[in-house]
C-alpha cells in the first residue's frame, strides 16, 4: 500500500464588504496613516458590521466558496475543524453549527483555539486525520470576527485587527505531496502579554468587567513583537535545516499576517527574496485564524504543483511554529 500524505486540494475565502481604512481610524483614535503603515504595514482591514452575524457567518461563506470552486458535495466531507479565537458563543461549538449550515451533515466538527496559530495547528491536525487513513475529506476553516473583541478606543490594538475567513480541503495524496514536516511549540509565559482578561472561568463576566473593558483584547506590544520575531524565524529556519532545504529550494513563504516587520524579519532570516514572500496584510490587517488561508486564496494562482511552501505563525499564549508543505495542484 502506498504511503498516504495529506495535501491541500482546494481553497476558499471570504471577507466582509466594509473597509476600515487608516484614514477612517484617524477620526476615531489618536493615530495617523503614516504611523500605522510604518509600524505594521496595514492600510485597511475588513469589518463585519452586521450586529446579528458572528464568526460562523464568515466561516460559512468561506466554506461555501471552497465547495463551489472545487465542485464537491458537502455530504462527502468527513470532518470539519474550525480554527478560531472568536467563537459565536461559549460551549456550543461554532464548527458544529457551520457544518450543519453548509450541508456537511455526515461530518463531525469541533473548534480549535490557539490564537493566531490556530490555523497552523489545524493544518497539523487535519493532516494527521487524513494520514490515518480513516478520513478522506477534512475541511479546515480559519475564521475570526476580531472586531467583536477589539476596543476601538485603544489605538494600540484597533489598528491591527480585521475580520475574515479562509478554508482549505485536505485529502489523501499518493505522490508524496502535501504536508511534509512540522515544528509546533508553545510557552505559557505568554499568557500575561496577549489576552482577553475576563469572560472565562477565571474572571467570569460581571457588570464591573464590562465597565472596565476586560472583554476586549489586550497586548503588551513590545513583548509580543520580540517573541514573535524570534520564534517565527527560529521555527522556519529549523524546518529548512531539518529537511535539507536552502533558500533556493523554497518557492514561497506563507507567514502569519500580524505585522509587516515580523514578516520581513522571518523572510530575512531565511534570506528569501521578496518575490517568494506572500503578503496581503496591507488589505486585511491581522485576521488571526483567517490570515494563512486568506493568503493562500489571494495567491493560489501563483502556486504550482510540487512547490515547496513554508508556513509560519505566532500567537497568544504563546503558540507558534512552522510547517513544510508541497503544493499539490495547479489552479485551472
Amino acid at each position: 500500500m502506498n504511503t498516504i500524505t495529506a495535501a491541500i486540494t482546494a481553497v476558499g475565502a471570504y471577507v466582509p464588504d466594509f473597509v476600515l481604512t487608516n484614514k477612517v481610524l484617524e477620526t476615531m483614535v489618536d493615530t495617523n496613516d503614516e504611523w500605522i503603515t510604518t509600524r505594521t504595514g496595514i492600510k485597511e482591514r475588513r469589518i463585519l458590521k452586521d450586529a446579528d452575524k458572528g464568526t460562523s457567518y464568515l466561516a460559512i461563506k468561506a466554506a461555501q466558496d471552497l465547495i463551489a470552486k472545487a465542485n464537491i458535495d458537502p455530504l462527502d466531507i468527513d470532518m470539519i475543524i474550525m480554527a478560531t479565537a472568536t467563537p459565536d458563543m461559549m460551549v456550543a461549538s461554532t464548527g458544529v453549527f457551520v457544518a450543519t449550515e453548509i450541508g456537511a451533515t455526515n461530518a463531525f466538527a469541533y473548534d480549535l483555539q490557539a490564537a493566531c496559530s490556530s490555523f497552523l495547528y489545524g493544518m497539523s491536525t487535519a493532516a494527521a486525520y487524513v494520514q490515518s487513513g480513516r478520513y478522506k475529506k477534512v475541511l479546515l476553516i480559519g475564521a475570526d470576527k476580531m472586531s467583536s473583541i477589539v476596543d476601538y478606543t485603544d489605538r494600540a490594538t484597533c489598528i491591527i485587527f480585521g475580520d475574515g475567513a479562509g478554508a482549505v480541503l485536505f485529502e489523501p495524496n499518493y505522490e508524496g505531496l502535501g504536508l511534509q514536516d512540522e515544528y509546533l511549540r508553545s510557552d505559557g509565559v505568554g499568557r500575561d502579554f496577549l489576552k482577553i482578561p475576563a469572560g472565562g472561568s477565571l474572571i467570569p463576566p460581571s457588570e464591573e468587567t464590562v465597565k472596565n473593558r476586560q472583554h476586549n483584547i489586550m497586548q503588551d506590544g513590545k513583548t509580543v513583537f520580540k517573541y514573535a520575531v524570534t520564534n517565527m524565524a527560529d521555527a522556519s529556519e529549523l524546518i529548512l535545516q531539518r529537511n535539507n532545504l536552502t533558500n533556493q529550494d523554497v518557492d514561497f513563504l506563507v507567514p502569519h499576517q500580524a505585522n509587516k516587520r515580523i514578516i520581513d524579519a522571518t523572510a530575512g532570516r531565511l534570506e528569501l527574496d521578496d518575490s517568494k514572500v506572500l503578503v496581503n496584510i496591507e488589505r486585511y490587517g491581522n485576521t488571526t485564524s483567517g490570515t494563512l488561508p486568506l493568503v493562500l486564496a489571494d495567491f493560489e494562482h501563483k502556486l504550482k504543483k510540487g512547490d515547496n511552501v513554508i508556513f509560519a505563525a505566532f500567537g497568544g499564549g504563546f503558540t507558534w511554529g512552522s510547517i513544510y508543505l508541497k503544493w499539490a495542484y495547479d489552479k485551472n
Side-chain angles (χ1 to χ4, degrees):
M1 182 176 176
N2 292 334
T3 301
I4 301 173
T5 53
I8 292 174
T9 59
V11 177
Y14 175 78
V15 290
D17 293 331
F18 182 83
V19 179
L20 178 59
T21 65
N22 291 347
K23 289 295 183 182
V24 173
L25 280 173
E26 288 179 3
T27 68
M28 299 166 60
V29 290
D30 182 17
T31 190
N32 60 72
D33 174 64
E34 182 184 7
W35 193 92
I36 298 170
T37 304
T38 301
R39 285 161 178 77
T40 68
I42 301 168
K43 281 290 189 182
E44 58 189 40
R45 61 292 290 149
R46 300 299 184 95
I47 304 296
L48 182 59
K49 299 287 283 186
D50 309 62
D52 62 338
K53 292 183 174 68
T55 294
S56 62
Y57 177 81
L58 303 169
I60 290 165
K61 287 288 191 180
Q64 289 173 335
D65 181 53
L66 182 150
I67 288 167
K69 290 197 298 186
N71 192 29
I72 64 170
D73 186 342
L75 294 175
D76 291 336
I77 298 172
D78 298 310
M79 66 173 295
I80 294 175
I81 301 172
M82 178 74 205
T84 185
T86 56
D88 282 4
M89 60 183 74
M90 300 290 283
V91 182
S93 168
T94 301
V96 171
F97 178 70
V98 170
T100 298
E101 289 298 297
I102 66 172
T105 53
N106 289 326
F108 75 97
Y110 60 84
D111 295 354
L112 187 157
Q113 205 280 82
C116 291
S117 301
S118 295
F119 192 86
L120 190 79
Y121 282 23
M123 289 176 67
S124 168
T125 308
Y129 277 112
V130 170
Q131 288 167 346
S132 75
R134 295 178 182 176
Y135 305 95
K136 304 295 185 185
K137 292 186 187 311
V138 178
L139 181 64
L140 170 62
I141 307 170
D144 273 303
K145 185 182 178 182
M146 294 304 293
S147 61
S148 67
I149 58 172
V150 167
D151 177 0
Y152 284 95
T153 67
D154 176 15
R155 67 175 184 173
T157 55
C158 73
I159 65 170
I160 299 170
F161 297 101
D163 303 337
V168 300
L169 185 68
F170 274 92
E171 294 187 275
N173 183 277
Y174 300 96
E175 301 176 90
L177 303 172
L179 198 145
Q180 305 293 306
D181 195 13
E182 62 183 48
Y183 178 78
L184 305 176
R185 288 294 182 269
S186 59
D187 188 343
V189 71
R191 179 171 162 125
D192 291 330
F193 301 116
L194 181 52
K195 62 184 177 181
I196 297 175
S201 60
L202 187 62
I203 306 176
S206 68
E207 185 178 345
E208 186 176 350
T209 62
V210 174
K211 189 184 300 180
N212 293 334
R213 299 180 183 272
Q214 290 177 275
H215 297 273
N216 297 121
I217 193 165
M218 299 178 181
Q219 76 167 358
D220 177 340
K222 289 183 179 179
T223 302
V224 173
F225 180 86
K226 181 181 70 174
Y227 273 90
V229 166
T230 301
N231 288 308
M232 265 182 66
D234 284 352
S236 302
E237 190 173 43
L238 187 145
I239 277 287
L240 262 62
Q241 292 173 353
R242 204 157 71 177
N243 291 277
N244 298 314
L245 297 172
T246 69
N247 60 343
Q248 297 300 312
D249 298 317
V250 175
D251 293 291
F252 294 105
L253 172 68
V254 180
H256 171 52
Q257 311 284 305
N259 185 300
K260 184 61 163 57
R261 291 186 296 167
I262 297 173
I263 295 170
D264 290 344
T266 303
R269 177 79 75 82
L270 303 182
E271 299 181 344
L272 292 178
D273 185 80
D274 288 347
S275 64
K276 293 186 174 185
V277 185
L278 304 184
V279 180
N280 60 8
I281 190 173
E282 73 281 358
R283 293 194 291 130
Y284 304 132
N286 182 356
T287 56
T288 304
S289 308
T291 63
L292 297 183
L294 279 173
V295 169
L296 290 180
D298 278 358
F299 294 97
E300 185 184 15
H301 63 283
K302 280 193 168 188
L303 298 166
K304 303 300 181 188
K305 185 175 181 179
D307 277 355
N308 291 321
V309 184
I310 304 297
F311 294 79
F314 182 88
F318 289 128
T319 60
W320 71 93
S322 181
I323 282 177
Y324 165 35
L325 179 139
K326 278 188 173 292
W327 197 249
Y329 65 95
D330 297 320
K331 186 180 180 184
N332 294 330

